[in-house]
Amino acid sequence: MPVSKALCILDGRQASTTCAVLACQQFEEVYAIIYEDGCQSPMALESAIAVADFLPLVNYEIIDLGTIFQKPALSMPKEPLDLGFASRDLGNATEVVFSATRQVTLLTLATERAALKGIQNIFIGLSETDFPDHWQNHQTYISLLARVLGEALWRDPDALTIYTPLLNLTRADIVKLGLSVLGNRFQAMFELTHDCEQGIEGGCGHCYSCLTRDRGFQEADVEDPIWKFRTTESYKIIEQAYQILHGISLN
């Protein structure tokens, strides 16, 4: 009986890491690709490699895409980070966190690499926070892309499956899923991950990616393993947000 194989796209972030863990659970052989495209910080690449080394992968490949993508100017919250940010509307900070054209390009390249290895299953860690305004439409274009790529590479529109297991999950759901799947390995696994757009160890606590990650861990009532790397000032903000979220007096 043929060995079941999958390929996952790793970027060192919380979502892609959780997705890769699920792939390793469901398939006998899992491969990964890591893109270096000039849009991410050096720490993001380091995190992706660290995660790949931790996972039981057959192997992984780093693909240098040069400068084909322009680095977006990620918008920041207009107001200073307030103590109630765990439940606040993140507003304009959601405008440019997701690029559908970039994801289509990455998935197309991933499919080419997968086909060379005889793989017809690809995992990508998309979640609702990647496309906050229209995330429900995500699966529609992903499914259509899978059919186009299946027809192009295998002459069969049903040959390729692109898995998006986190698409309908909140960040809190993703935290709980990772914890349930990894158990006592959760701490060691997720302290390797990186989401901060500024490339700061432990996260800056102010960019959109940090805000959504922090809120997810707070709502899941789980301490994020990377918080221990933050500055004293940033950690105080997290502690205060925890107190507000759980109705604890600050006096």
Side-chain angles (χ1 to χ4, degrees), residues 1-5 28-29:
M1 189 172 181
V3 174
S4 62
K5 299 180 181 181
E28 296 170 274
E29 291 186 0

Side-chain angles (χ1 to χ4, degrees), residues 11 33 37 43 73 98 141 194 224:
D11 59 15
I33 54 173
D37 59 15
M43 181 173 285
F98 177 80
Y141 88 77
H194 168 94
D224 190 336

Side-chain angles (χ1 to χ4, degrees), residues 98-100 103 125-132 134-144 164 167-168:
F98 177 80
S99 169
Q103 293 296 347
L126 298 174
S127 68
E128 66 172 49
T129 53
D130 291 311
F131 203 9
H134 306 287
W135 64 270
Q136 297 93 334
N137 298 329
H138 245 18
Q139 192 57 60
T140 299
Y141 88 77
I142 292 294
S143 298
L144 288 171
T164 57
L167 189 57
N168 298 325

